[in-house]
């Protein structure tokens, strides 16, 4: 199942999860008020200008163009310093074990899904804006100047972003904006994504369009977390066994097989079974430049309501030699230990 994440509010861990995955326009007035509050909490003069852009990519392009007219980055003063102070206070109060328990109950799961997304966005921005390898370090430095807006949600869920924390301005911005770049004179604020598609494991995942998209067209394409070219997805509905075999990139070929269906590929490619026993049929697909795909075909012994028996395909390790060994592996057993009293 794939789903589109929509907008959400903030507060407790569940609310902060909605903040991290929110899409669509935020409240610009609220975000700008949050920015100015963050500056005041840090003891800084408010910025002279607040500029909105459509995406992190647009932000980097603007920052490079405006270099020398922004002033110094103040990220450390308004984000890093108060966040570290609040974490230290909570760590001292709870102790190491208590802090670990608290982190697992609040921000840990959200961080596990947000951190890879942040790195994907950074990598995509570098790839889209660098004119060559020598250009990349300067872009990465600019990306590290960013406060991550809604993607600060894991930390904000673990800490108390109340008025005395110095984090309340950041919390306000997180509810209404994406990444933002704070400098002495200017703040650059990015809109949130317009679309975010993820699977049940929280990985970017969409087969018919961008898994992450911003208003200006900056986008990431992915299949179950694997980065793929956008044009690659357009080919998925026209796949044939020959096209799958001819794909030179092993990771993309696996995506094609998953989309096409291993059972369908076996049927239409003329594959031959390599072993049969009472548990099922073992099949092997040889793929150039990649490990073999080995599947066990098993038939459910319990009939469906219409009287038919459903067939299942189980992917097993390439070293599997018999159908029984493959079925046993799916239960975490050796072949000799697999002896079901009743099949269901």
């Amino acid at each position: 199942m794939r789903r589109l994440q929509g907008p959400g509010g903030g507060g407790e861990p569940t609310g902060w999860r909605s903040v991290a995955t929110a899409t669509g326009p935020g409240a610009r007035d609220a975000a700008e008020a949050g920015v100015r509050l963050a500056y005041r909490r840090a003891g800084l003069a408010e910025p002279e200008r607040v500029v909105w852009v459509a995406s992190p990519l647009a932000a980097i392009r603007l920052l490079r163009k405006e270099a020398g007219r922004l002033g110094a980055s103040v990220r450390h003063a308004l984000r890093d310093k108060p966040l570290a102070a609040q974490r230290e206070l909570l760590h001292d109060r709870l102790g190491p074990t208590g802090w670990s328990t608290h982190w697992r109950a609040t921000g840990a799961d959200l961080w596990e899904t947000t951190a890879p997304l942040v790195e994907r966005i950074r990598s995509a921005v570098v790839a889209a804006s660098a004119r060559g390898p020598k250009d990349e370090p300067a872009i990465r430095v600019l990306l590290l100047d960013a406060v991550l807006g809604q993607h600060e949600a894991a930390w904000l869920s673990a800490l108390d972003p109340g008025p005395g924390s110095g984090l309340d301005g950041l919390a306000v911005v997180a509810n209404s904006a994406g990444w933002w770049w704070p400098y002495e004179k200017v703040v650059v604020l990015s809109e949130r994504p317009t679309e975010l598609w993820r699977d049940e494991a929280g990985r970017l995942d969409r087969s018919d369009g961008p898994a992450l998209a911003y208003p200006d067209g900056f986008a990431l394409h992915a299949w179950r977390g694997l980065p793929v070219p956008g044009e690659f997805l357009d080919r998925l509905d026209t796949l044939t066994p020959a096209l799958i075999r001819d794909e030179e990139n092993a990771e993309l070929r696996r995506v094609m097989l998953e989309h096409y269906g291993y059972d369908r590929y076996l049927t239409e490619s003329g594959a031959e079974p390599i072993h049969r026993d009472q548990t099922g049929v073992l099949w092997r697909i040889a793929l150039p430049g990649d490990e073999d795909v080995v599947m066990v075909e098993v038939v459910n012994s319990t009939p469906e309501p219409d009287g038919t028996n459903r067939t299942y395909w189980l992917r097993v390790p390439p070293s599997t030699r018999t159908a029984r060994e493959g079925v046993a592996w799916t239960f975490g057993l050796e072949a000799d230990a697999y002896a079901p009293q009743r099949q269901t």
Side-chain angles (χ1 to χ4, degrees):
M1 172 182 174
R2 301 176 183 89
R3 59 186 182 278
L4 178 63
Q5 305 285 355
E12 71 287 350
T14 300
W16 282 115
R17 187 171 296 110
S18 296
V19 168
T21 58
T23 55
R28 287 196 173 191
D29 289 345
E32 292 183 19
V35 164
R36 299 185 188 280
L37 176 59
Y39 272 69
R40 294 196 300 272
R41 295 294 193 219
L44 300 171
E46 294 183 11
E48 299 171 6
R49 290 189 297 139
V50 176
V51 180
W52 283 85
V53 293
S55 71
L57 175 60
I60 292 300
R61 288 173 172 168
L62 176 64
L63 293 173
R64 301 189 81 189
K65 182 179 179 181
E66 295 293 319
R69 293 189 288 270
L70 306 169
S73 172
V74 295
R75 180 184 189 272
H76 176 76
L78 61 77
R79 189 266 184 196
D80 298 348
K81 187 175 177 180
L83 191 149
Q86 288 302 308
R87 184 185 182 281
E88 185 176 353
L89 283 173
L90 196 56
H91 189 277
D92 289 345
R93 186 165 75 238
L94 299 176
T97 301
W99 163 254
S100 296
T101 301
H102 174 74
W103 174 245
R104 288 196 300 271
T106 53
D109 287 346
L110 184 53
W111 180 250
E112 288 296 319
T113 55
T114 303
L117 178 60
V118 168
E119 289 307 311
R120 285 286 310 278
I121 294 172
R122 285 174 174 159
S123 297
V125 169
V126 171
S129 55
R131 293 184 288 268
K134 293 183 179 180
D135 206 23
E136 294 182 5
I139 296 173
R140 295 188 187 279
V141 169
L142 287 175
L143 287 167
L144 292 177
D145 283 345
V147 180
L148 301 181
Q150 67 183 121
H151 294 150
E152 301 283 3
W155 284 111
L156 293 172
S157 72
L159 305 174
D160 178 12
S165 67
L167 300 173
D168 49 343
L170 274 66
V172 173
V173 181
N175 275 272
S176 294
W179 297 13
W180 55 288
W181 282 258
Y183 296 92
E184 289 175 324
K185 300 177 182 179
V186 179
V187 167
V188 176
L189 272 161
S190 170
E191 295 282 6
R192 298 183 302 200
T194 54
E195 293 186 86
L196 174 61
W197 293 77
R198 306 198 301 181
D199 63 13
E200 290 80 357
R203 302 172 299 183
L204 290 178
D205 181 32
R206 190 180 181 188
S207 63
D208 58 353
L212 179 77
Y214 283 87
D216 60 355
F218 174 58
L220 303 179
H221 294 80
W223 171 270
R224 298 179 184 174
L226 177 69
V228 297
E231 59 273 16
F232 169 80
L233 296 175
D234 296 335
R235 300 165 49 199
L236 292 182
D237 290 334
T238 61
L239 290 178
T240 64
L243 286 174
I244 294 172
R245 284 194 301 270
D246 292 343
E247 173 57 53
E248 296 181 356
N249 184 299
E251 289 186 328
L252 294 182
R253 189 164 56 231
R254 291 175 191 173
V255 172
M256 296 165 81
L257 274 170
E258 289 182 10
H259 187 271
Y260 196 73
Y262 290 103
D263 53 342
R264 182 182 174 193
Y265 181 86
L266 285 168
T267 301
E268 297 182 8
S269 64
E272 296 290 338
I274 60 173
H275 183 265
R276 296 175 185 267
D277 59 30
Q278 66 271 28
T279 60
V281 182
L282 187 69
W283 300 81
R284 182 181 299 274
I285 307 172
L287 296 175
D290 197 5
E291 66 180 17
D292 291 354
V293 174
V294 179
M295 310 281 291
V296 180
E297 177 188 1
V298 297
V299 178
N300 190 350
S301 60
T302 302
E304 299 293 317
D306 62 0
T308 61
N309 294 84
R310 187 173 179 181
T311 299
Y312 293 90
W313 298 82
L314 311 174
R315 186 167 181 180
V316 296
S319 59
T320 303
R321 296 165 298 177
T322 68
R324 174 179 290 277
E325 181 183 348
V327 174
W329 177 85
T330 66
F331 289 97
L333 300 172
E334 298 293 334
D336 293 343
Y338 177 68
Q341 295 180 344
R342 178 175 178 267
Q343 292 184 336
T344 61

